[in-house]
Amino acid sequence: GPSTYTPDGQFVLGSVPDIDGFLVASGCCGSGIGASGGVGMAIAELAIGGKTGFDLESFRTDRFGHIDSLSPNWIQRCAEARSNKG
């Protein structure tokens, strides 16, 4: 499947602005297995109650603004994040 690395190397978690009820858990390449329990719990809590005990601010779905996932610039930024992961 497509790579889900992000330019900052962090997850993308939470609600999507302007799309009511749509939740995202992505950007998990490389560390998704280790974090899957917490990610799953956070998204489940959001789905069930609309809030979570986890601080998801740094993982906001809108933190990159509008993106074109096929643009060369976006692909380069994601590739650089991937190559910098230890």
Side-chain angles (χ1 to χ4, degrees), residues 13-33:
L13 304 172
S15 301
V16 175
D18 302 325
I19 305 178
D20 190 41
F22 188 76
L23 299 171
V24 171
S26 188
C28 300
C29 277
S31 57
I33 292 173

Side-chain angles (χ1 to χ4, degrees), residues 5 10 34 62 66:
Y5 278 95
Q10 300 297 320
D62 62 348
H66 178 76

